Amino acid sequence: MQTIIASTVSGLVACAAACAQETDMADAENQALIDAYMAAYSAADFDAMEAFMAEDVVFSDPTATGMGEPGLLHHSRDEIMTALREFDAQFNPIALNFEWHTTFESNDRYVFMGSVNATYPVEEDGMVFRWSAPQTTVIHLRDGLIVEQFDFADYEGAVQEIVAAE
């Protein structure tokens, strides 16, 4: 009887260790995916972002001003990519230059708190237009794809200035 109990306990411990290792690997893969997505977002590489999005992804920025009551709200990868490409064509961002001071994951939601320091070209050599504001982004990941993105930025308190290009 003791042999059976010892064997069962040993099997449970081995299973728990294997399950923990599998969870750690999945967490590392998810974090790498989120990091790559956010790096593309920060670089304003919108085409690279597309590969990470589920077909039915939702993008919401209820704080976006001048967009009506819901702010920005898009309900599919195609709709989001159309909006991002229009933004890119209209404003030609150099990069969004996010600086995240706090990041954490909870229940497949990856939270980024910090600021956006977007830069845009200007006609003056060696200078750029910089738009800076506090920002929080929440990404919901499911089955290795982005299914929701929520952005919250202080549009009304944004600092806008012409600065030397870095």
Side-chain angles (χ1 to χ4, degrees), residues 43-120:
D45 186 350
F46 304 127
D47 289 333
M49 291 172 61
E50 183 175 13
F52 297 96
M53 296 179 191
E55 187 174 320
D56 60 346
V57 62
V58 173
F59 176 91
S60 175
D61 182 348
T63 58
T65 55
M67 302 292 170
E69 187 176 323
L72 291 172
L73 183 59
H74 303 291
H75 290 281
S76 71
R77 180 177 55 225
D78 290 342
E79 198 175 301
I80 293 167
M81 293 311 301
T82 297
L84 289 174
R85 288 181 178 120
E86 287 173 0
F87 172 79
D88 189 49
Q90 182 177 2
F91 296 105
N92 194 26
I94 297 167
L96 300 180
N97 302 310
F98 293 113
E99 293 178 14
W100 304 118
H101 307 294
T102 302
T103 62
F104 61 92
E105 182 272 333
S106 180
N107 196 25
D108 295 327
R109 272 70 174 184
Y110 295 79
V111 179
F112 299 82
M113 299 164 58
S115 60
V116 56
N117 300 289
T119 52
Y120 302 88

Side-chain angles (χ1 to χ4, degrees), residues 104-160:
F104 61 92
E105 182 272 333
S106 180
N107 196 25
D108 295 327
R109 272 70 174 184
Y110 295 79
V111 179
F112 299 82
M113 299 164 58
S115 60
V116 56
N117 300 289
T119 52
Y120 302 88
V122 295
E123 291 183 16
E124 189 176 343
D125 285 342
M127 304 299 281
V128 295
F129 173 78
R130 182 173 58 203
W131 188 93
S132 300
Q135 178 158 330
T136 297
T137 295
V138 180
I139 304 293
H140 181 192
L141 186 66
R142 185 175 55 230
D143 299 327
L145 293 171
I146 309 297
V147 294
E148 294 175 311
Q149 178 173 336
F150 299 95
D151 281 0
F152 306 89
D154 182 6
Y155 288 91
E156 293 178 10
V159 173
Q160 302 178 57

Side-chain angles (χ1 to χ4, degrees), residues 22-41:
E22 190 174 301
T23 298
D24 288 346
M25 287 176 54
D27 288 347
E29 288 174 9
N30 287 344
Q31 189 63 57
L33 186 148
I34 290 295
D35 290 345
Y37 178 79
M38 293 304 285
Y41 190 27

